[in-house]
Amino acid sequence: ADIASAASNSAWLLTFHGMAEVLGWEMRLPLVAPELRASILRGCGVRERSLPFANIRSLEPDEFVDLLANVLSVKTVVCGANYRFGYRAAGDAKLLQTLGKAAGLQV
């Protein structure tokens, strides 16, 4: 959150809901009660944006980065070294840096 906050006036946590249903996983209880989630994130200076996993599941890595840059107007992305994204986890953190740079994102 510190890196994201330094890059922008507002830090956002991008999450995906419905993954268990789409992927056939067993449903699990959330770590934080849903009614407390927003206030806990706000306490860290973060807001949440949740997208339906079913709608982004089939995006290729370049399409996902395009979504971030051109639809969601993201300016900075923070991810871990083992981050995977895109259809069948085709993209990794290094590819995100490459595609992000080309799309004008700070990664």
Side-chain angles (χ1 to χ4, degrees):
D2 290 341
I3 295 169
S5 292
S8 168
N9 289 338
S10 61
W12 288 83
L13 171 66
L14 181 60
T15 61
F16 308 101
H17 59 271
M19 287 180 72
E21 297 87 349
V22 170
L23 298 175
W25 295 345
E26 183 178 329
M27 294 295 294
R28 297 184 310 195
L29 292 174
L31 295 175
V32 175
E35 61 273 11
L36 299 176
R37 187 175 175 101
S39 66
I40 291 170
L41 289 172
R42 266 194 315 273
C44 298
V46 177
R47 292 185 287 172
E48 181 179 27
R49 172 83 187 259
S50 185
L51 302 177
F53 182 71
N55 292 0
I56 60 98
R57 175 186 190 190
S58 63
L59 295 180
E60 295 295 332
D62 61 317
E63 295 172 317
F64 181 72
V65 171
D66 181 65
L67 171 77
L68 294 176
N70 298 314
V71 177
L72 300 176
S73 300
V74 169
K75 302 295 180 216
T76 303
V77 176
V78 179
C79 71
N82 64 346
Y83 179 68
R84 305 296 304 194
F85 70 103
Y87 184 62
R88 296 187 183 239
D92 59 13
K94 190 170 183 96
L95 182 60
L96 181 59
Q97 288 178 321
T98 301
L99 295 174
K101 184 177 181 180
L105 300 175
Q106 179 184 355
V107 181

